[in-house]
């Protein structure tokens, strides 16, 4: 089936068969500290064509040690304006709360636009996101910066997650780590993505550390 919408939130992966429009997470952002992570993302943002407004938000996040959801949403509004100027349809999704106090932005854009090929639409959309909001979204979705909250939420729901995996033929060792369970859930979701009802045992689909 031809896809008409593409998920555009920066690091969402293979949700219900729709791949993230931008699936590259800066490999240099794996270091532990906030400052090191922001420095790495800032370097990628400068190289990747981020606009001055987005760069200033990232510099402020570097100075203050935080980046709010509301500030990121303001940048995403600039991305939406760029979509509109390029003739690309889009749809804002409800915010995803991955853990208490940790929300991320979710939106999608149409894969087709009048007079443009699907590849041209994606190129234009990627450029809009890179200029206006993509790197701030990387920060907001950085799993390492929210690891404790993420793990607490998963532990609380672990019996349900493991039962769902088992019902779908995936049995985990008793000593499996949280990241191993995350990977198993993601692999199951990807394996069933083309089915009418994909097996979504866990909704924390951000890239995990290797």
């Amino acid at each position: 089936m031809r896809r008409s919408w593409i998920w555009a939130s920066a690091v969402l992966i293979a949700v219900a068969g729709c791949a993230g429009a931008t699936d590259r997470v800066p490999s240099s952002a794996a270091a532990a500290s906030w400052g090191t992570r922001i420095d790495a993302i800032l370097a990628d943002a400068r190289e990747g064509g981020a606009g001055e407004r987005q760069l200033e938000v990232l510099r402020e996040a570097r100075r203050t040690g935080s980046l709010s959801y509301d500030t990121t949403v303001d940048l995403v509004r600039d991305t939406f304006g760029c979509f509109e100027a390029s003739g690309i349809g889009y749809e804002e999704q409800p915010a995803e709360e991955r853990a208490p106090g940790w929300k991320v932005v979710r939106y999608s854009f149409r894969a087709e636009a009048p007079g443009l090929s699907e590849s041209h639409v994606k190129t234009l959309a990627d450029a809009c996101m890179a200029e206006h909001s993509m790197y701030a979204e990387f920060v907001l979705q950085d799993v390492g910066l929210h690891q404790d909250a993420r793990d607490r939420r998963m532990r609380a729901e672990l019996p349900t997650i493991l039962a769902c995996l088992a019902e779908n033929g995936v049995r985990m060792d008793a000593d499996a780590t949280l990241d191993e369970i995350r990977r198993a859930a993601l692999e199951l979701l990807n394996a069933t993505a083309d089915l009418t009802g994909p097996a979504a045992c866990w909704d924390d689909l951000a890239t995990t550390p290797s």
Side-chain angles (χ1 to χ4, degrees):
M1 181 182 295
R2 187 176 180 83
R3 294 180 302 175
S4 59
W5 291 90
I6 297 177
W7 288 100
S9 192
V11 294
L12 289 179
I13 303 173
V15 178
C18 294
T22 308
D23 57 8
R24 59 187 188 279
V25 179
S27 59
S28 53
S33 73
W34 171 271
T36 302
R37 286 173 184 268
I38 299 295
D39 286 345
I41 293 174
L42 261 168
D44 286 339
R46 294 187 188 100
E47 184 177 343
E52 182 56 33
R53 176 167 149 81
Q54 184 179 190
L55 289 172
E56 180 52 36
V57 165
L58 293 172
R59 288 192 290 263
E60 182 65 13
R62 176 68 170 85
R63 287 192 293 270
T64 63
S66 66
L67 174 64
S68 73
Y69 171 83
D70 289 342
T71 297
T72 308
V73 167
D74 284 344
L75 294 179
V76 171
R77 297 271 182 262
D78 293 343
T79 291
F80 291 165
C82 184
F83 284 169
E84 291 171 357
S86 300
I88 299 171
Y90 65 90
E91 182 175 298
E92 186 173 4
Q93 311 295 331
E96 178 185 357
E97 186 172 9
R98 295 191 173 171
W102 178 23
K103 291 193 302 183
V104 298
V105 186
R106 297 173 70 244
Y107 56 95
S108 56
F109 63 85
R110 281 204 173 277
E112 299 173 338
L116 301 175
S117 67
E118 187 169 331
S119 62
H120 193 188
V121 169
K122 185 176 182 301
T123 296
L124 290 172
D126 280 352
C128 286
M129 290 185 289
E131 179 179 357
H132 297 292
S133 66
M134 183 174 76
Y135 298 97
E137 291 181 72
F138 282 152
V139 175
L140 194 67
Q141 298 196 42
D142 190 314
V143 295
L145 299 176
H146 303 276
Q147 190 70 46
D148 289 343
R150 180 172 171 250
D151 286 351
R152 282 196 304 272
R153 178 179 174 230
M154 189 173 196
R155 287 192 188 96
E157 300 185 29
L158 204 53
T160 301
I161 298 166
L162 293 174
C164 176
L165 289 171
E167 288 170 4
N168 287 279
V170 180
R171 298 192 177 276
M172 304 300 300
D173 293 338
D175 60 351
T177 66
L178 294 183
D179 277 348
E180 287 171 341
I181 297 169
R182 285 186 177 100
R183 291 190 191 99
L186 178 56
E187 289 169 2
L188 175 63
L189 180 66
N190 285 335
T192 60
D194 292 333
L195 303 180
T196 302
C201 294
W202 180 239
D203 61 2
D204 177 4
L205 299 179
T207 304
T208 54
S210 58

